[in-house]
Amino acid sequence: MTRLTGTALRVTIFIGENDTWRHKPLYSEIVHRAYSAGLAGASVFRGVEGFGASSLIHTSRLLSLSEDLPVAVVIVDTEERIRAFLPQLDELVAEGLVILDDCEVIRYVGRGHEA
């Protein structure tokens, strides 16, 4: 049974929806590598509007021509496991922002398990 409670580290990776790694979406590659590394979990969130280093505003508004919306990949696990995963992000993320924050996990129990 997988359990993660108490102090943890959250890594949030801000990238563009159109960013790729070897012809597949970069966010998907990050999630699959996090899974392969045995991390507790990863989620991808699509933004509706934002801007970054390019200073271009990307938006999902109907009349906008932008298709490269902001995406945030959020991964939470122990500090040790997240820090061990960081070299993979260095390899994958050429343009983007990676943020680390301390957090507290109230309850995480793997699927199919009762607590």
Side-chain angles (χ1 to χ4, degrees):
M1 175 166 13
T2 302
R3 286 184 185 265
L4 176 64
T5 57
T7 59
L9 196 61
R10 174 178 52 204
V11 59
T12 306
I13 306 108
F14 294 97
I15 54 177
E17 185 177 33
N18 291 340
D19 292 347
T20 60
W21 175 259
R22 298 189 177 156
H23 309 293
K24 72 185 260 188
L26 177 57
Y27 59 83
S28 181
E29 181 67 18
I30 293 170
V31 168
H32 283 85
R33 287 195 186 196
Y35 179 81
S36 295
L39 297 180
S43 297
V44 178
F45 300 94
R46 184 178 190 216
V48 294
E49 189 166 34
F51 72 94
S54 70
S55 296
L56 297 174
I57 293 181
H58 303 278
T59 180
S60 64
R61 283 180 287 186
L62 192 58
L63 299 176
S64 173
L65 298 177
S66 176
E67 295 177 6
D68 189 21
L69 294 172
V71 170
V73 182
V74 179
I75 305 169
V76 177
D77 207 317
T78 64
E79 180 173 358
E80 180 182 348
R81 294 174 71 131
I82 292 292
R83 292 203 181 273
F85 186 69
L86 291 179
Q88 293 201 52
L89 295 179
D90 288 340
E91 175 188 353
L92 294 171
V93 181
E95 290 185 21
L97 177 65
V98 178
I99 296 175
L100 295 173
D101 352 65
D102 294 322
C103 62
E104 184 175 350
V105 176
I106 303 296
R107 179 173 185 242
Y108 173 83
V109 179
R111 281 196 185 143
H113 297 89
E114 294 185 23

